[in-house]
Amino acid sequence: MRTLLASLALIPLLGFFRGSSSSSPPSKAKSFRTLLAVTVSPELGRRSTPRASWPPRVAPAQVLAQDVFWSDRLDGVPSAGFSDLHVKRWQLKARSSWLVSLERGCGRVSNRLASFSDGTRACLRYGINPDQVLGETLSFYLSRLLGIRNVPALALSRVNINAEQWLRVRQDVQGSQWADKPIVSLTEWISNLTDVVTPPSLRTEGRRLHPLVEELANVTSQEMLELVQWSDLILFDYLTANFDRLASNLLSLQWDSRVMERSTNNLHRTAKGALVFIDNEAGLVHGYRVLPMWDRYHESLLKTLCIFRKETAKKIAELHKSQNVANQLLDLYRANEPLASQMGFLSEEHSEMLQSRTDRLYKHILQCKANYSK
């Protein structure tokens, strides 16, 4: 990965807002995620799933509450389904149920699609290095801290073929070529997911999602409900510096002018219309390490956004005021993850970076309020 990123850093960073590629693309346009050579996870079903039934239009007056916040009518709907109770129940099951099979799947070749004795499944992720498992884990707990419920439930597990949970998959583990007794992440497997394309307001030249009624007047209710979740996604990816979702698309615009019209990496939709933010292993640890290359894209995405969920903005304000976001994240992580002490946490440098990016989000929201306050 580092070798690839180092080579990509040499690519001239041409204007990514241009409507067409500035150089002749190869016969088959390749996005950044294609270069990563990560296979598509089997849990990401391609079958067309009916969307939830919503009124065809939502009145502009019902879109915004005041200043730069989504209305209460939109703010809490649809639920992503990953409530605190749901997460606790799933984590208990993931830590105590017998594993009965490990199949190839869930992204890179070292990962596995794990099946439990009760028939439920999980994506078992064995990172190229422990930092990726740590990044995935801390990104999940940061989403809980922020009140963003779109990240599937996650639990850590130490692989041990002599432990009761792992006995039935002993041969699968021995054939995996994993390190001895590694810590892996188990994330909830979500079925019947469909792909998600960047919404038009964030796709074209001059992209923005601002509280302008005239720009939101012709958006359907279903599209509006997705935009609410996109506003959380942009903030979440900025905070974690996760480049392997939205930022990678901006980079890919240099050789693929239509990349924004294709499905977004690591983002899917449930049958009820909730967006699911999957595969967050590039967040926080690795994302912070390579931030100099990607920060211009994160900043560009942040500038497109000036409408927020009130609860998300409130939490960011609280974390800015307390100036201890890393400590709060650590406390939540340790309270809910038995293997936290063995997995480790952010370095002091990365903890400071997390606070700095939280402060940046707070100031951005204030600037949006100053620009659009009534």
Side-chain angles (χ1 to χ4, degrees):
M1 173 65 81
R2 291 184 179 179
T3 303
L4 171 62
L5 291 173
S7 62
L8 283 173
L10 299 177
I11 300 175
L13 298 180
L14 304 176
F16 51 80
F17 286 120
R18 294 179 181 174
S20 59
S21 175
S22 58
S23 60
S24 299
S27 57
K28 290 186 178 180
K30 294 184 179 180
S31 66
F32 175 76
R33 55 182 177 275
T34 303
L35 294 176
L36 290 178
V38 176
T39 57
V40 177
S41 304
E43 77 268 30
L44 307 182
R46 302 293 179 180
R47 184 175 61 188
S48 177
T49 304
R51 289 190 178 187
S53 176
W54 302 102
R57 297 290 174 189
V58 58
Q62 297 176 316
V63 172
L64 304 171
Q66 77 277 352
D67 294 331
V68 293
F69 300 113
W70 297 108
S71 69
D72 293 338
R73 181 175 183 269
L74 292 171
D75 202 306
V77 181
S79 169
F82 309 128
S83 66
D84 290 341
L85 179 60
H86 172 90
V87 167
K88 286 184 179 298
R89 286 176 173 172
W90 192 90
Q91 288 179 327
L92 178 62
K93 177 187 296 186
R95 291 171 181 141
S96 60
S97 299
W98 297 342
L99 288 163
V100 295
S101 71
L102 297 177
E103 306 170 52
R104 287 291 179 93
C106 292
R108 66 170 56 88
V109 296
S110 59
N111 295 343
R112 295 293 184 270
L113 179 58
S115 295
F116 293 105
S117 53
D118 66 352
T120 59
R121 291 178 167 184
C123 278
L124 185 158
R125 290 189 168 84
Y126 173 89
I128 294 176
N129 58 61
D131 282 352
Q132 292 180 313
V133 177
L134 179 61
E136 176 93 16
T137 304
L138 294 182
S139 292
F140 165 72
Y141 282 106
L142 183 60
S143 74
R144 307 310 294 181
L145 183 62
L146 292 168
I148 295 175
R149 306 303 188 210
N150 301 76
V151 181
L154 176 147
L156 294 178
S157 180
R158 183 176 288 281
V159 179
N160 183 352
I161 58 176
N162 296 315
E164 185 177 16
Q165 184 179 31
W166 293 88
L167 276 175
R168 293 154 190 80
V169 292
R170 176 193 293 263
Q171 291 184 341
D172 295 327
V173 172
Q174 290 174 332
S176 66
Q177 298 183 340
W178 293 341
D180 185 42
K181 297 181 180 179
I183 295 179
V184 297
S185 66
L186 296 167
T187 57
E188 183 176 4
W189 188 88
I190 312 297
S191 61
N192 294 328
L193 295 177
T194 53
D195 291 343
V196 177
V197 176
T198 304
S201 56
L202 298 173
R203 188 189 311 161
T204 57
E205 187 174 354
R207 57 181 69 91
R208 63 179 178 177
L209 182 55
H210 286 202
L212 301 171
V213 173
E214 63 274 15
E215 294 185 1
L216 300 171
N218 294 319
V219 179
T220 67
S221 291
Q222 177 64 39
E223 292 168 339
M224 196 69 70
L225 292 167
E226 282 199 9
L227 288 176
V228 174
Q229 298 172 84
W230 271 86
S231 67
D232 268 356
L233 176 60
I234 291 172
L235 295 180
F236 180 61
D237 279 0
Y238 182 88
L239 204 51
T240 61
N242 186 347
F243 56 83
D244 196 19
R245 188 161 25 230
L246 306 181
S248 61
N249 274 358
L250 292 188
L251 175 64
S252 296
L253 279 173
Q254 295 174 86
W255 55 81
D256 182 1
S257 63
R258 303 188 64 180
V259 65
M260 305 293 279
E261 301 171 27
R262 300 186 177 90
S263 59
T264 303
N265 198 31
N266 298 329
L267 180 67
H268 294 270
R269 182 191 300 108
T270 70
K272 293 184 177 180
L275 300 186
V276 183
F277 311 165
I278 68 167
D279 294 359
N280 297 289
E281 61 188 14
L284 292 172
V285 185
H286 188 55
Y288 284 179
R289 185 176 294 122
V290 297
L291 186 58
M293 176 181 175
W294 292 100
D295 204 27
R296 63 173 295 187
Y297 300 104
H298 293 304
E299 285 289 340
S300 177
L301 285 162
L302 182 60
K303 290 175 182 177
T304 68
L305 179 67
C306 258
I307 317 179
F308 314 94
R309 285 183 57 242
K310 281 184 281 189
E311 288 304 312
T312 306
K314 178 181 177 183
K315 189 62 184 180
I316 289 171
E318 291 173 353
L319 294 173
H320 164 75
K321 183 178 180 180
S322 67
Q323 288 293 296
N324 65 351
V325 58
N327 288 340
Q328 290 192 46
L329 176 60
L330 179 59
D331 289 344
L332 182 64
Y333 172 47
R334 285 177 171 172
N336 292 278
E337 180 46 67
L339 291 176
S341 60
Q342 299 176 50
M343 188 72 240
F345 189 62
L346 297 175
S347 66
E348 182 176 350
E349 178 186 2
H350 287 173
S351 294
E352 293 174 356
M353 198 171 294
L354 174 58
Q355 185 64 58
S356 175
R357 294 182 81 75
T358 301
D359 297 342
R360 172 72 178 94
L361 290 186
Y362 173 73
K363 293 175 183 177
H364 177 73
I365 294 171
L366 286 186
Q367 185 61 53
C368 287
K369 291 178 72 173
N371 291 341
Y372 290 104
S373 60
K374 297 179 181 178

